[in-house]
Amino acid sequence: MAKQKRNFKIDVFAVISLVVIGIYCLSLLVLIGWGFLNSVKAQIDFRTNALGFPSLAGPENAYQAGWHFDNYISAFNVLKVERNGNTYYLEGLLFNSLLYAVAMAFTNVAMHLVVAYACAKYTFKLNKILYMTAIVVMLVPIVGSLPSEMRMAQLLFGKENNLLEVCLMKNRYTGTYFLVFYATYKSISWTYAEAAQLDGAGHFQIFMQIMIPLAKNTIMAVFILLFINYWNDYYIPMMFWSHHPTVSYALYLAQNSSGSSEFASSVPKQLAACFIVSIPVFTVFMIFRNQIIGNVTMGGLKG
Amino acid sequence: MKDSGFDGGFFSRLKWKLYDLRVKLSGKPKKKQSYTSVKRQETIFLTLLLAIPVIQFCIFYIGVNINSILMAFQEYDGVTGEFKMAGLVQFRKIIEQLGTDGFGLRDEVERSTMQFLLALLVSLPLNVFVAFCVWRNLPFAGFFKVVLFLPSMIPSIVFVLLGRQFLSHGVPEIIEMITGMPSTLDLLDYRDPENLTGFKTVLVFGMWMNFAGGMVVYLGAMSGISDDVVEYGRMENINMLQEFWYIVLPSIFPTITTYIVVTLAGFFTNYGFFYSFFGNKASGTVTTLGHHFFALVAGDGRTPAGMDQYPEAAAGGLLFTLIVTPITLGAKWLLEKYGPSED
């Protein structure tokens, strides 16, 4: 987004806006701060003192009070998921998440991008059908196709899917980002391609060497948004890739388990794991926040 | 080259002669291709480009939905492990549940309606308002931008875990501090069909988490508004509210329409944070339709539910698709016809 210096004028609406947003932001930070404080407490301290700072520790109660930053190390050992005889600890779960998020985001971007590009820049028989299908799929809400999808996955790929199969199954071209890429390519002039054609470039070269670089800000923004989305997602891994658990899925399992594992019974360690899980996406967002904001523009559902 | 009026020295002329020679030898610029050849290349390119997305769509959208329709008329035979045709059995089951008070689908329709209205009437306007404030560069806009993104950035399951612990341990302690008496308040009680405490708590939690939802897309739409239009408005001395109402809202209305349509479309499928908080434990007491049908298939998340549940979920899906589709299309038509325009 181009930096626009807007003259700011204080009026009643502006003051109300500031107060409302300020209170909301404060509430978010309070919850996160509360979570962090409790992530460095001993379990007993958390039970008796959920609101304050960690209690002061003396030599006689070092394990029951004080600042327990070691919870962050313990989280690596106690957050675990067992699947098919394999035990996935936090580092394994993080690796699965990374693999899953990158593969899914890449496939999703690729599916949306190629169809949007073709529809926006070429005139061919299927053009209108593909565009209209994308709109209709967004407009017509199909409810309850999950059982059929599960059945289809079992029939086509067997009981356990690999990541490639999950990527192929779950990434249709007919999503919101189709409209984003379509709007992006509609706004890019075809003159660049014509100039390249005069120099003898083929369609593939034009696509790879001109059109993708021209839309790279949007592509990057969408990829990062999707990466964050898939990193946080536990529904798809739960349903289709559960034998390679991701961190989000592991956290879901941990908090909905009725078991008495060390992780389930230690709230501070659960909170410490939460912060560890959030660090990668927070870092990605902080690095790329300027690319994300302002580069995703979506038109209406004209059809 | 000859017409370029180039008046260089000997070396420059030699350079251009050499260039002409190279072009002649390399055959570039290419000789003009026939129309058929150009068209053929384009067709090959488009076929290669579109083959995978189109085949994927045919199998995993069209195929899945045809199978889903068939499944709605089937039932699962536990002995043979096969699905067999069963006529309208599943539909009768759903309609019976819709007519039953208490723990039936009828209550889930009510709860889904509450969830939908909250999303449409509270969350959506809030989302647009927040995006406008950030776009308008209020003081601390840069800071707000980062904090407002936290719910989209940090895994929702992390916030659910934080929220659950705060509600279970933090809130009772706060009440105790204020009243001086130990509190037994359980804001996540899902076994209370009368007060729906757990349902309301998660609903409010969802709204709180979605306060700045869609900000990336709204900011993208707002960045397309011409600075000239905004400046003209300023010269006319309009205030911030007028700027929002007369300039920003009409400009981003197509994006808002998309969000309204998507919200409507999610009426029967949206399970918000209910599954994250309760899994399939809360069945019948605090569930929405989306949660109900998702839990039918997902089970407790550890092991998927049995296939005997699939036909019921498919039948419910088909029935509700038939209801919500005309509503969604009608809403889209109305919004486009009567919504604000940039003119």
Side-chain angles (χ1 to χ4, degrees):
Chain A
M1 186 167 51
K3 278 239 178 227
Q4 292 162 350
K5 199 76 193 160
R6 298 180 196 291
N7 301 325
F8 179 74
K9 216 167 62 179
I10 289 281
D11 57 27
V12 180
F13 185 72
V15 173
I16 294 172
S17 311
L18 265 177
V19 170
V20 172
I21 296 180
I23 290 172
Y24 175 74
C25 289
L26 194 67
S27 72
L28 271 178
L29 293 175
V30 164
L31 183 68
I32 292 169
W34 178 85
F36 177 73
L37 270 185
N38 284 293
S39 73
V40 290
K41 281 181 185 171
Q43 171 66 12
I44 295 174
D45 195 15
F46 170 75
R47 288 280 171 200
T48 52
N49 165 37
L51 287 180
F53 283 91
S55 309
L56 288 175
E60 72 288 350
N61 66 346
Y63 290 107
Q64 295 160 11
W67 294 75
H68 282 266
F69 287 100
D70 53 319
N71 284 341
Y72 281 79
I73 296 162
S74 304
F76 276 91
N77 300 321
V78 291
L79 177 58
K80 58 183 177 191
V81 178
E82 283 175 21
R83 278 286 181 277
N84 297 354
N86 297 322
T87 305
Y88 292 91
Y89 288 93
L90 190 49
E91 58 271 28
L93 299 168
L94 285 167
F95 177 74
N96 284 347
S97 280
L98 184 69
L99 203 64
Y100 170 75
V102 170
M104 287 291 277
F106 179 79
T107 322
N108 199 316
V109 166
M111 289 283 191
H112 285 111
L113 183 77
V114 294
V115 185
Y117 171 69
C119 287
K121 290 293 171 207
Y122 287 88
T123 311
F124 56 104
K125 279 180 190 166
L126 274 178
N127 185 317
K128 283 221 162 73
I129 297 174
L130 288 173
Y131 180 81
M132 286 306 293
T133 309
I135 302 293
V136 169
V137 167
M138 279 186 79
L139 284 176
V140 178
I142 302 285
V143 184
S145 60
L146 183 62
S148 169
E149 213 173 347
M150 297 274 293
R151 180 84 184 125
M152 203 85 151
Q154 286 162 6
L155 289 173
L156 287 173
F157 306 128
K159 258 195 154 180
E160 287 181 355
N161 311 311
N162 64 41
L163 188 55
L164 181 68
E165 290 161 355
V166 179
C167 288
L168 277 176
M169 214 170 9
K170 295 305 295 180
N171 289 313
R172 283 199 306 265
Y173 83 87
T174 54
T176 317
Y177 293 119
F178 170 80
L179 293 181
V180 171
F181 287 131
Y182 184 82
T184 304
Y185 277 117
K186 271 285 172 197
S187 68
I188 293 175
S189 166
W190 189 244
T191 321
Y192 302 107
E194 282 170 350
Q197 271 171 337
L198 286 175
D199 286 344
H203 294 282
F204 187 71
Q205 272 179 303
I206 291 171
F207 177 56
M208 294 301 286
Q209 289 174 8
I210 296 173
M211 289 300 168
I212 288 185
L214 279 174
K216 71 171 189 298
N217 285 346
T218 308
I219 295 171
M220 196 65 190
V222 171
F223 180 85
I224 292 160
L225 283 174
L226 284 168
F227 174 85
I228 292 171
N229 219 16
Y230 286 121
W231 180 276
N232 299 344
D233 168 41
Y234 72 88
Y235 295 111
I236 296 176
M238 180 173 86
M239 303 302 294
F240 297 100
W241 207 46
S242 61
H243 54 289
H244 284 103
T246 58
V247 269
S248 297
Y249 177 41
L251 283 177
Y252 167 80
L253 286 177
Q255 71 160 316
N256 279 293
S257 81
S258 46
S260 54
S261 66
E262 192 184 345
F263 187 76
S265 55
S266 171
V267 176
K269 283 174 188 165
Q270 289 181 27
L271 296 171
C274 284
F275 284 98
I276 294 171
V277 168
S278 308
I279 289 169
V281 273
F282 185 73
T283 313
V284 168
F285 175 79
M286 289 310 285
I287 294 170
F288 296 105
R289 67 183 188 280
N290 291 330
Q291 278 93 323
I292 295 173
I293 298 168
N295 279 315
V296 182
T297 313
M298 180 175 66
L301 295 168
K302 290 278 175 221
Chain B
M1 246 60 71
K2 284 170 190 164
D3 304 329
S4 64
F6 185 76
D7 193 23
F10 169 76
F11 287 109
S12 292
R13 282 200 301 278
L14 180 66
K15 193 176 82 178
W16 286 114
K17 286 276 179 206
L18 286 172
Y19 174 78
D20 283 346
L21 188 66
R22 191 166 65 90
V23 167
K24 273 177 195 159
L25 289 174
S26 66
K28 283 182 180 177
K30 279 186 178 170
K31 64 176 179 185
K32 210 173 179 185
Q33 291 174 307
S34 70
Y35 177 77
T36 333
S37 159
V38 170
K39 247 339 201 191
R40 194 185 309 125
Q41 281 176 7
E42 191 180 303
T43 310
I44 292 169
F45 170 71
L46 287 174
T47 309
L48 290 175
L49 202 65
L50 298 175
I52 293 176
V54 171
I55 294 169
Q56 194 275 350
F57 181 79
C58 291
I59 298 173
F60 292 108
Y61 186 81
I62 300 175
V64 159
N65 284 307
I66 291 172
N67 187 42
S68 188
I69 293 170
L70 286 175
M71 207 178 247
F73 296 94
Q74 292 175 331
E75 63 183 3
Y76 183 69
D77 186 338
V79 180
T80 60
E82 296 288 325
F83 287 90
K84 59 179 187 187
M85 293 309 282
L88 298 172
V89 170
Q90 306 299 342
F91 292 96
R92 277 197 211 106
K93 225 190 271 182
I94 305 257
I95 290 165
E96 267 171 34
Q97 286 183 57
L98 277 170
T100 314
D101 269 337
F103 289 74
L105 284 178
R106 189 197 282 186
D107 300 289
E108 286 172 349
V109 172
E110 277 174 29
R111 289 194 283 268
S112 296
T113 311
M114 281 166 69
Q115 184 187 18
F116 165 74
L117 289 177
L118 209 65
L120 188 70
L121 303 177
V122 182
S123 290
L124 200 132
L126 269 177
N127 298 162
V128 179
F129 157 77
V130 170
F132 171 67
C133 292
V134 172
W135 173 78
R136 189 64 169 67
N137 265 342
L138 283 183
F140 317 114
F143 168 74
F144 286 149
K145 218 184 274 183
V146 174
V147 179
L148 290 168
F149 253 97
L150 287 173
S152 321
M153 192 199 320
I154 291 174
S156 64
I157 198 75
V158 165
F159 270 108
V160 166
L161 207 144
L162 282 171
R164 180 197 292 271
Q165 298 304 340
F166 185 75
L167 292 169
S168 310
H169 299 96
V171 171
E173 206 165 296
I174 292 172
I175 293 172
E176 197 178 326
M177 271 167 60
I178 296 168
T179 61
M181 309 242 289
S183 166
T184 53
L185 178 71
D186 180 6
L187 287 169
L188 290 171
D189 182 7
Y190 58 84
R191 287 171 293 254
D192 172 20
E194 285 303 311
N195 295 317
L196 298 175
T197 316
F199 171 74
K200 286 175 192 164
T201 304
V202 176
L203 205 59
V204 173
F205 179 85
M207 202 181 79
W208 177 74
M209 283 289 287
N210 198 29
F211 185 81
M215 193 158 77
V216 171
V217 176
Y218 288 128
L219 281 178
M222 286 172 196
S223 68
I225 299 172
S226 159
D227 273 353
D228 297 340
V229 179
V230 178
E231 282 310 315
Y232 182 75
R234 302 269 162 80
M235 282 158 64
E236 292 290 309
N237 234 358
I238 60 171
N239 62 30
M240 196 168 152
L241 187 61
Q242 286 169 321
E243 183 176 299
F244 173 73
W245 194 255
Y246 294 112
I247 298 174
V248 176
L249 193 62
S251 304
I252 64 163
F253 201 73
T255 308
I256 295 177
T257 304
T258 307
Y259 267 87
I260 294 174
V261 168
V262 170
T263 308
L264 257 172
F267 183 93
F268 291 109
T269 51
N270 190 359
Y271 38 86
F273 287 90
F274 295 103
Y275 192 81
S276 302
F277 268 101
F278 304 122
N280 69 342
K281 285 182 291 195
S283 181
T285 46
V286 293
T287 46
T288 58
L289 282 168
H291 184 184
H292 174 96
F293 285 112
F294 183 73
L296 267 187
V297 183
D300 62 358
R302 202 164 288 275
T303 43
M307 282 197 274
D308 55 324
Q309 313 263 37
Y310 287 12
E312 187 189 333
L318 184 60
L319 198 67
F320 296 130
T321 301
L322 292 174
I323 296 169
V324 79
T325 300
I327 298 173
T328 310
L329 294 175
K332 178 184 174 282
W333 181 80
L334 283 172
L335 287 165
E336 278 175 4
K337 192 165 170 65
Y338 298 108
S341 96
E342 284 183 76
D343 304 329

